[in-house]
Amino acid sequence: MNKKQLTERDICTKFITPALEQSGWDIATQIREEFPLTKGRIIVRGKLHTRATHKRADYVLFYKPNIPIAIIEAKDNNHSLGDGMQQGLGYAEMLQVPFVFSSNGDGFLFHNKIAKDGVIERELALHEFPSAETLWQWWAEHRGLNQKQNELVTQDYYSDGSNKTPRYYQLLAINKTIEAIANGQNRILLVMATGTGKTFTAFQIIWRLWRSKVKKRILFLADRNILVDQTMTNDFKPFGAAMTKIQKRQANKSYEIYLSLYQAVTGNEEEKNIYKQFSPDFFDLIVIDECHRGSAAADSAWRDILEYFCSATQIGLTATPKETKEVSNIDYFGDPIYTYSLRQGIDDGFLAPYKVVRIDLDRDLTGWRPDKGMTDKHGNEIEDRIYNQKDFDKTLVLEQRTHLVAKKITEFLKQTNRFDKAIVFCENIDHAERMRQALVNENADLVAQNSKYIMRITGDNEEGKAELDNFIFPESKYPVIATTSKLMTTGVDAQTCKLIVLDQRIQSMTEFKQIIGRGTRINEDYGKYYFTIIDFKKATELFADPDFDGDPVQVYEPSGSDSPVPPDVHLDDGAGEAGDSDLEYPKPDGERDWGGIGEPGEDEDGGVRRYVVANVPVKVAAERVQYFDANGKLITESLKDYTRKAVTKEFATMDDFLRRWSSAEKKQAIIEELAEHGVFFEALADEVGEKSGKAFDPFDLVCHVAWDMPPLTRKERAEQVKKRNYFTQYGDQARKVLEALLDKYADEGVAQIEETQILTIAPFTQFGTPLEIIRAFGGLDQYQQAVNELEQALYSS
């Protein structure tokens, strides 16, 4: 056996895996080959999408299931022993494991970042591969784990028998939390972007602590009834009869796992007594979902629960830790023990990317001033001053503006799919109702078929709130469009939402991230790979803020007299300034923020709260589409500009491209490689476009866009080959086959003629069976050579 002729997979099967088994590694539970790390970023251009290359480690070694400890990167024997090391180190950094091995089948190069003797890399023979116990002993000793801590850290995950493995970042979040608790840390903050599986992660943490009996009674707090119910029936189902939901303000102390709404254990002084029915040391662990909400005035009472059960270990989960001068998650929980950001999720291909349609309206840019003595449609004299974007839909309503926004939303859906789920975020409940009416009129045909096509889903409207579940569930067709203000900013798992409309002035990074998170889930079964943001209020300028996806930074500075939990800040929701307003639950009489619908009333000072003006024209001043670039920044550029950059990054000159194209056995491989970098040939052909978009060959599109070469259609290329009497060198049957291949190229492109399966369809079937056709060329190698030569003739010009 010549080792040099073996493939990389052969090297794994014949040399690496046997060496692992010889060292005592269990192939069933400790060795995972071709372990997937990422899914590959989804790249969007126009209405098309593709996935970039996913990351996959050749081997991940686990001390116990879901507790990774080492990476092995394999190469074939034409590479040196250490050629896979740098790639392996990259994977090890993602999984945060200390040991990396590279092999070409002759032995191993071993990278030990915790080596005591200072020799980080050394060569090992195949039979010298260390055992699982040896590696774990080194790692546990390095981290200072005693026997009791080691037992907790290695506690088994829950498994349903399907061998489903948590994603790499979930493993990190779970394992880091367990180790922190093993080390005595009692306040823990986990930051994970919306859609990355916070609840599943929380379940595995709770399961391991519960099974190990380190934490016996556990309270899980969430902010929505539907979330508690879904959690019980889905992720938390394995807890079975040990689990209960606190409801009807009754505290049954015979369970071990308790789930509750914040609101179910808070309220007035009498209602608060529900959690005081438990002794302060009753719970060993409290997990707070969406813990950023605890910093808002409306829901601050849940923090009383944490202070009451202060002896319990407390874990805060959030996609958006709240950090302002007045309130701080970090001050209470400490710095995040692990952060998996929106950008990381999009880069890894686990979250849906977005494109931004930015629409600027003339009145928003220039403002509007009423004529002296002008009255609104209700006869109220309008205060004489300049009204701008801060005022619109708060103190001043321009009805034509609402109609224009509704029209632009409808135009977009008509160009894409009118049954794509969409959420329109408005300034307040009144605005959400007016937007609903405007959208109904723009979509009268579909509303006539079903009145629930458009629904206002706000905290004050029982009919709308009753439809929230139907909006969320992928199987439910209606509602399609939801207008809202605050109710749907958080905790709404809308997997199939493809359109987020921002007609709300957002100054809070926390709220902005929460709103964007409504669209970031991927649902391939329903064709949801990306979503679109239509922005009317310049909210997407927050993407440029370094805080948008950076690590949370604590800006709250507690004084010596402060309590362990910072005080609440009361914000004026109507001002639209830099505060975070929270969910709009129905408010008791006398509470601030008028949410009236229809006729405006008067405020306490006797003035009009909101002017309504019907006849002021509003126009679109500018409209543009922005995409993510490779670095995750929003860019505004044409498909041609993007393609030129992507191609010239891969091929410095046209000669480089031509050499690669000519030498490639299959041209389709180069086309697919460029597609992975975001080059969409179909959309590009439409944009290049004087001729039919389908007539251009990818070769011509690349040369034209990147190096300004005039493109030829496939038909023109085929005609040039025919004029050269190219086929005279072949026999009659072979000539007919090649002529038919040339016609197929002109109709469908180069990818079709490169596959031998084409010989099984018309018109080739009239020339004989595939085997007979190949024999006419002298064999398969000669047939493939003839196809390659035909391609050379096609592209020789």
Side-chain angles (χ1 to χ4, degrees), residues 42 44 46-49 352-353 355 498 528-532:
I42 296 172
V44 181
K47 299 176 185 177
L48 302 176
H49 72 274
K355 63 179 182 179
K498 293 186 179 180
K528 164 71 182 300
Y529 294 91
Y530 66 93
F531 67 106
T532 302

Side-chain angles (χ1 to χ4, degrees), residues 199-213:
T199 309
F200 172 73
T201 301
F203 162 72
Q204 289 288 4
I205 291 168
I206 295 170
W207 176 269
R208 294 176 69 195
L209 292 168
W210 180 64
R211 292 288 290 182
S212 66
K213 301 191 184 304

Side-chain angles (χ1 to χ4, degrees), residues 288-397:
I288 309 98
D289 194 20
E290 306 289 0
C291 70
H292 65 276
R293 290 197 56 215
S295 297
D299 282 19
S300 61
W302 70 268
R303 294 192 310 221
D304 294 340
I305 305 170
L306 300 190
E307 290 181 312
Y308 182 77
F309 297 115
C310 61
S311 63
T313 298
Q314 297 172 5
I315 302 173
L317 303 175
T318 181
T320 53
K322 181 170 290 189
E323 297 303 325
T324 71
K325 291 181 180 179
E326 293 85 7
V327 290
S328 170
N329 285 132
I330 290 176
D331 183 67
Y332 185 78
F333 290 104
D335 288 322
I337 197 167
Y338 181 68
T339 298
Y340 189 71
S341 69
L342 173 63
R343 181 164 295 156
Q344 285 175 285
I346 292 173
D347 284 343
D348 288 343
F350 295 121
L351 294 180
Y354 44 85
K355 63 179 182 179
V356 175
V357 178
R358 171 83 175 270
I359 300 177
D360 294 328
L361 306 181
D362 58 350
R363 298 296 180 184
D364 289 29
L365 297 178
T366 62
W368 176 77
R369 183 175 182 178
D371 296 332
K372 187 174 182 180
M374 183 177 180
T375 59
D376 72 355
K377 66 182 292 185
H378 301 293
N380 300 300
E381 184 174 339
I382 305 171
E383 181 186 350
D384 183 14
R385 65 178 179 85
I386 295 175
Y387 294 85
N388 56 33
Q389 195 179 68
K390 284 185 181 181
D391 301 298
F392 295 150
D393 298 301
K394 293 179 179 176
T395 57
L396 176 77
V397 172

Side-chain angles (χ1 to χ4, degrees), residues 496-749:
T496 55
C497 178
K498 293 186 179 180
L499 177 62
I500 301 287
V501 179
L502 303 177
D503 198 23
Q504 180 183 112
R505 191 167 182 269
I506 303 168
Q507 299 293 289
S508 155
M509 189 61 73
T510 300
E511 187 172 15
F512 180 61
K513 283 188 179 182
Q514 287 290 338
I515 287 175
I516 298 307
R518 299 315 102 210
T520 53
R521 293 184 186 271
I522 294 171
N523 190 315
E524 297 185 9
D525 293 340
Y526 287 83
K528 164 71 182 300
Y529 294 91
Y530 66 93
F531 67 106
T532 302
I533 303 167
I534 300 182
D535 179 17
F536 291 95
K537 291 280 182 85
K538 297 185 179 180
T540 51
E541 289 181 350
L542 287 169
F543 282 129
D545 191 316
D547 287 341
F548 170 65
D549 218 26
D551 292 328
V553 177
Q554 181 178 347
V555 294
Y556 167 76
E557 297 180 1
S559 65
S561 60
D562 278 339
S563 66
V565 185
D568 294 316
V569 56
H570 291 267
L571 302 170
D572 182 1
D573 293 343
E577 294 298 332
D580 290 339
S581 56
D582 220 279
L583 302 184
E584 278 189 347
Y585 292 107
K587 296 177 179 179
D589 291 339
E591 196 164 337
R592 59 181 170 77
D593 189 16
W594 176 67
I597 297 167
E599 297 296 316
E602 293 188 351
D603 64 18
E604 295 170 358
D605 299 325
V608 178
R609 290 183 182 263
R610 190 173 291 136
Y611 301 108
V612 182
V613 182
N615 54 0
V616 173
V618 182
K619 297 178 181 178
V620 173
E623 184 171 347
R624 58 191 180 277
V625 179
Q626 296 176 296
Y627 296 96
F628 265 129
D629 68 6
N631 298 316
K633 292 184 178 180
L634 279 172
I635 54 171
T636 306
E637 65 180 352
S638 71
L639 198 58
K640 289 171 67 175
D641 292 337
Y642 181 86
T643 302
R644 184 181 300 112
K645 290 178 182 178
V647 170
T648 54
K649 187 176 181 180
E650 290 296 304
F651 306 101
T653 66
M654 184 174 174
D655 287 341
D656 290 339
F657 173 70
L658 293 176
R659 276 194 295 271
R660 175 77 181 282
W661 186 268
S662 299
S663 63
E665 286 188 20
K666 288 193 174 184
K667 316 303 181 193
Q668 185 63 18
I670 299 177
I671 295 170
E672 290 174 356
E673 182 182 323
L674 288 171
E676 287 180 351
H677 289 86
V679 177
F680 293 92
F681 291 101
E682 183 181 336
L684 190 63
D686 288 338
E687 188 168 321
V688 168
E690 292 178 4
K691 304 168 185 177
S692 168
K694 295 181 180 178
F696 287 115
D697 191 286
F699 173 86
D700 284 278
L701 291 170
V702 168
C703 292
H704 172 68
V705 169
W707 297 288
D708 294 323
M709 297 296 293
L712 297 176
T713 65
R714 292 194 299 268
K715 186 174 181 180
E716 287 169 339
R717 288 197 173 277
E719 290 297 328
Q720 286 185 354
V721 174
K722 291 177 181 178
K723 288 176 183 177
R724 297 186 205 126
N725 294 320
Y726 172 77
F727 303 111
T728 56
Q729 57 183 304
Y730 295 98
D732 184 58
Q733 186 180 13
R735 185 170 65 250
K736 289 179 180 177
V737 171
L738 288 172
E739 287 174 344
L741 283 172
L742 198 59
D743 290 338
K744 279 289 183 185
Y745 163 80
D747 289 339
E748 300 180 38

Side-chain angles (χ1 to χ4, degrees), residues 217-219 221 244-247 249-260 264-265 272-284 286 305 308-309:
R217 292 196 184 98
I218 295 148
L219 173 64
L221 286 171
T244 188
K245 176 183 177 182
I246 297 176
Q247 51 190 343
R249 302 205 172 267
Q250 296 298 315
N252 187 329
K253 301 174 187 176
S254 60
Y255 293 89
E256 297 175 64
I257 311 293
Y258 295 78
L259 290 86
S260 176
V265 288
K272 285 181 183 179
N273 287 335
I274 178 172
Y275 69 83
K276 292 184 179 178
Q277 294 176 37
F278 299 102
S279 63
D281 59 354
F282 183 85
F283 291 111
D284 306 306
I286 300 178
I305 305 170
Y308 182 77
F309 297 115

Side-chain angles (χ1 to χ4, degrees), residues 152-171:
L152 175 56
V153 167
T154 58
Q155 172 65 40
D156 286 338
Y157 279 58
Y158 171 78
S159 174
D160 60 5
S162 66
N163 291 324
K164 175 188 175 184
T165 301
R167 294 169 177 171
Y168 82 91
Y169 62 85
Q170 293 171 338
L171 287 176

